[in-house]
Amino acid sequence: MHIYGPSRVHGAQSIGAPHTSRLSQPQAPSQPGAIQDELQISDAGQLVDQVRQLPEIRQDRVDQVRAAIAEGTYETDEKLEVAVGRLLDEIG
């Protein structure tokens, strides 16, 4: 298809944008840096994870210790010596 000027003085013109920019060198598409995934865990999420890693409570043992404390038979000299010995081993 050819388009002629209003008075037909001009020769045939091609269909195209009248104002196109011409680059001396075509630009290569820019390569983005390597894409990296990132995960951020909130403080509350970290706390939940720590709680899940705690060992399960042995309710039967807790009940035994509470009963022994209530009866006054839980704290003995032997248990105190074992506890102090373990503490000193852990510290030293």
Side-chain angles (χ1 to χ4, degrees), residues 1-77:
M1 174 175 179
H2 295 287
I3 299 177
Y4 300 99
S7 63
R8 296 187 181 244
V9 175
H10 302 292
Q13 297 176 0
S14 63
I15 299 176
H19 304 287
T20 58
S21 62
R22 297 191 174 143
L23 301 173
S24 60
Q25 294 179 349
Q27 290 182 339
S30 61
Q31 295 289 335
I35 297 174
Q36 295 179 347
D37 291 336
E38 184 176 312
L39 173 67
Q40 295 179 352
I41 300 175
S42 68
D43 293 337
Q46 292 175 0
L47 182 62
V48 168
D49 186 48
Q50 290 174 353
V51 169
R52 286 183 180 162
Q53 293 178 10
L54 291 174
E56 302 233 358
I57 296 175
R58 296 174 35 202
Q59 192 60 45
D60 59 332
R61 182 69 178 134
V62 171
D63 293 339
Q64 288 175 352
V65 172
R66 284 184 179 167
I69 292 172
E71 295 170 3
T73 60
Y74 182 73
E75 295 177 4
T76 63
D77 290 336

Side-chain angles (χ1 to χ4, degrees), residues 70-89:
E71 295 170 3
T73 60
Y74 182 73
E75 295 177 4
T76 63
D77 290 336
E78 296 161 358
K79 288 182 181 178
L80 183 60
E81 287 179 27
V82 170
V84 170
R86 288 180 182 170
L87 177 64
L88 291 175
D89 288 343

